[in-house]
C-alpha cells in the first residue's frame, strides 16, 4: 500500500500552536468516501481535508472537508490550510494576479496569495452571506444570552454557505470571561438547523479591532479556536448593518484565547466581497498509511 503525503497545520496562528489544527491528505485521488470519513474520525481534528485534482473549470485543485462525523461543504480554516498544503506540495501556483481557485462543496472559491514581511498570507473570499429571518423566535437566543448586555448591533441569523446566530457583546471583558450554557447553544443550533452561536465585541487592544468567540454546537464542537467561516458571516453582518462604520472596510480579529489558543485573523470588506485570511504554519509533514480504496 503506497504511503501518501500528510500534513498537520496550524492555521490562523498569531504564535506557534496558537491557531486551529488541520489535517491535510495531500493526494487523495481514489480514496473512497468511507475511507475519508474513517480517517477524519481517527485524526479527531475539528476538520481534515483531502486534496485531489479539480473537476470544475478554472479550479486549481479540489478539497473535500470532513469533520469526525460528516463531510461539510465549506469552512474557513480548512480552506486556508488546504491552499497552504497545495502550494507546498506543488499542486498549483498562483496566477499572475495572485489568485488560486479552490473547488469545494460550496463551489469554486478564489484564494488570494500575498507575501507580508517575507511570510505568506492567504485570504479566502467567503461565500455570499445575508441576514435571513430566524426560523424560530429569538426567545431561545435571549435565554442563551441571559444577563448579557448586547452591543450596538442587535442579534441576527446569518446564512452564507452555513448558518450561524450572531450577537455583539457590549464589553470585551465580559465576552472573554463568559461561560455559556453549551447545552442551550446546542439546542438552539438543532432547532434552527444552524452551526450555533458566534459572539463578538469591539476591542481596545492595540492592533485588534474585534474579539470573537464561536460555539459550533451544531456539529458537536464546544468552542472553535479560529473560525474563518464564522468571521466571514460576522463581517457580512457588519457590512450590512454598518456600511459606513469604522469597521466597514475590514479589521483584525483575536480569537481562541479562552481555549488556550491565540489566533489572528484579518478581515477585508471590499464592497460585497468578504475576504478572511491569515498565516499558516506546517507542524507535521509526513506520510499516511491508511486503507483508502
Amino acid at each position: 500500500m503506497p504511503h501518501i503525503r500528510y500534513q498537520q497545520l496550524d492555521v490562523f496562528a498569531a504564535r506557534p500552536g496558537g491557531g486551529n489544527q488541520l489535517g491535510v491528505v495531500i493526494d487523495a485521488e481514489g480514496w473512497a468516501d468511507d475511507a475519508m470519513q474513517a480517517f477524519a474520525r481517527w485524526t479527531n481534528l475539528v476538520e481534515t481535508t483531502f486534496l485531489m485534482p479539480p473537476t470544475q473549470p478554472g479550479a486549481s485543485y479540489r478539497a473535500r472537508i470532513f469533520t469526525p462525523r460528516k463531510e461539510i461543504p465549506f469552512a474557513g480554516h480548512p480552506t486556508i490550510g488546504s491552499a497552504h498544503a497545495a502550494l507546498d506540495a506543488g499542486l498549483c501556483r498562483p496566477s499572475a494576479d495572485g489568485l488560486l481557485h479552490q473547488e469545494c462543496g460550496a463551489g469554486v472559491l478564489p484564494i488570494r496569495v500575498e507575501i507580508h514581511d517575507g511570510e505568506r498570507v492567504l485570504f479566502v473570499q467567503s461565500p455570499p452571506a445575508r441576514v435571513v429571518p430566524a426560523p424560530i423566535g429569538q426567545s431561545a437566543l435571549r435565554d442563551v444570552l441571559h444577563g448579557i448586555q448586547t452591543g450596538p448591533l442587535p442579534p441576527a441569523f446569518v446564512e452564507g454557505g452555513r448558518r450561524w446566530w450572531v450577537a455583539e457583546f457590549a464589553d470585551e471583558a465580559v465576552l472573554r470571561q463568559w461561560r455559556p450554557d453549551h447545552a442551550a447553544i446546542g439546542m438552539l443550533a438543532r432547532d434552527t438547523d444552524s452551526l450555533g452561536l458566534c459572539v463578538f465585541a469591539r476591542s481596545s487592544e492595540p492592533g485588534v479591532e474585534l474579539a470573537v468567540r464561536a460555539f459550533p454546537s451544531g456539529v458537536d464542537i464546544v468552542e472553535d479556536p479560529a473560525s474563518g467561516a464564522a468571521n466571514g458571516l460576522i463581517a457580512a453582518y457588519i457590512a450590512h448593518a454598518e456600511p459606513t462604520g469604522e469597521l466597514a472596510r475590514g479589521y483584525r480579529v483575536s480569537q481562541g484565547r479562552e481555549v488556550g489558543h491565540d489566533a489572528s485573523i484579518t478581515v477585508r470588506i471590499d464592497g460585497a466581497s468578504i475576504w478572511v485570511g491569515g498565516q499558516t504554519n506546517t507542524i507535521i509533514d509526513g506520510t499516511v498509511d491508511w486503507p483508502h480504496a
Side-chain angles (χ1 to χ4, degrees), residues 3 7-8 44 59 79 112 117 133-134 138 173 212 217 220 260 273 285:
H3 288 243
Q7 288 187 339
Q8 199 155 312
N44 201 33
T79 295
R112 182 169 289 146
D117 298 325
Q138 294 202 9
V212 168
S217 300
D220 297 329
S273 298
D285 192 346

Side-chain angles (χ1 to χ4, degrees), residues 27-53:
D27 182 6
E29 186 176 14
W31 279 52
D33 293 359
D34 289 349
M36 287 186 271
Q37 185 63 76
F39 185 71
R41 189 181 308 115
W42 180 83
T43 66
N44 201 33
L45 299 172
V46 176
E47 280 106 2
T48 302
T49 67
F50 300 82
L51 307 187
M52 55 197 70

Side-chain angles (χ1 to χ4, degrees), residues 18-87:
N20 207 347
Q21 295 183 64
L22 177 73
V24 184
V25 177
I26 303 295
D27 182 6
E29 186 176 14
W31 279 52
D33 293 359
D34 289 349
M36 287 186 271
Q37 185 63 76
F39 185 71
R41 189 181 308 115
W42 180 83
T43 66
N44 201 33
L45 299 172
V46 176
E47 280 106 2
T48 302
T49 67
F50 300 82
L51 307 187
M52 55 197 70
T55 64
Q56 297 297 317
S60 306
Y61 61 92
R62 182 185 180 198
R64 294 183 65 179
I65 306 170
F66 286 78
T67 74
R69 290 179 51 231
K70 64 179 182 178
E71 185 173 10
I72 58 176
F74 170 76
H77 98 271
T79 295
I80 294 294
S82 293
H84 171 96
L87 287 165

Side-chain angles (χ1 to χ4, degrees), residues 11-15 17-20 77 164 172 175-176 197-201 203 205 208-216 221-232 234 251-267 276-277:
V11 183
F12 295 136
R15 57 175 172 78
N20 207 347
H77 98 271
W164 285 87
E172 179 185 5
L175 174 91
R176 292 196 179 277
L197 172 66
C198 49
V199 294
F200 66 95
S203 176
E205 180 180 324
V208 175
E209 285 76 42
L210 227 60
V212 168
R213 297 180 69 183
F215 306 100
I221 297 170
V222 173
E223 182 164 357
D224 196 330
S227 175
N231 276 287
I234 291 171
Y251 47 84
R252 184 70 61 85
V253 169
S254 168
Q255 186 178 354
R257 293 179 189 170
E258 297 74 22
V259 287
H261 292 248
D262 188 15
S264 179
I265 299 172
T266 299
V267 173
V276 178

Side-chain angles (χ1 to χ4, degrees), residues 138-151 155 167-171 173-175 177-181 197 199:
Q138 294 202 9
S139 60
L141 179 62
R142 285 194 293 269
D143 290 343
V144 170
L145 299 175
H146 179 71
I148 298 296
Q149 181 181 355
T150 55
E168 179 179 5
F169 280 35
D171 185 85
V174 172
L175 174 91
Q177 296 166 9
W178 188 43
R179 295 184 177 180
D181 183 338
L197 172 66
V199 294

